[in-house]
Amino acid sequence: MSPRCSLTELRKLNRELGIPAKLSDVGVTEDKIPEMVADTMKSGNVLVNPRQTTPKDVEALYRSFCKTAEPHIAVSQREAAILRAKGLTTRHHIA
C-alpha cells in the first residue's frame, strides 16, 4: 500500500471515529500556542524523544496542526490488537 493510500485510510478512520482533523477544529487558536509550547517543554516526553526537540520545533508543529490535518499517529501493540479485533486496519505506524 502506498503512503498516500495509507494517509487516506487514516483520515477516513479519524472521521469515522470522530477525531478532529485540526487543532482549530477543537477551538485551539494560535494565541494559545506559546502556552502550549511551554507546557510541552515541561513534559518528560520531550526528554525521551529520540530527536532533540526545541521550542521552535514544537511551535512549528502546533502552528501547522492549527491549519492543516496531517496526521501523525502511533499506536501500541495492544491498541493495534484492539483495532484489529474491531475490524479496523492498522496501516499506520505501530510503536
Side-chain angles (χ1 to χ4, degrees), residues 6-20:
S6 295
L7 183 58
T8 300
E9 288 294 315
L10 182 56
R11 286 183 175 150
K12 180 182 172 190
L13 175 62
N14 284 348
R15 278 192 306 276
E16 290 171 2
L17 296 174
I19 297 172

Side-chain angles (χ1 to χ4, degrees), residues 31-80:
D31 63 308
K32 301 294 184 198
I33 292 176
E35 183 179 345
M36 292 168 55
V37 169
D39 286 343
T40 299
M41 295 310 294
K42 293 175 194 173
S43 165
N45 294 328
V46 172
L47 299 174
V48 297
N49 191 340
R51 183 177 155 246
Q52 184 178 5
T53 306
T54 67
K56 186 175 178 178
D57 295 330
V58 175
E59 180 179 354
L61 184 65
Y62 281 141
R63 289 196 186 283
S64 72
F65 281 110
C66 275
K67 298 175 185 171
T68 188
E70 290 300 320
H72 296 277
I73 185 170
V75 297
S76 68
Q77 293 291 338
R78 181 179 170 276
E79 292 165 327

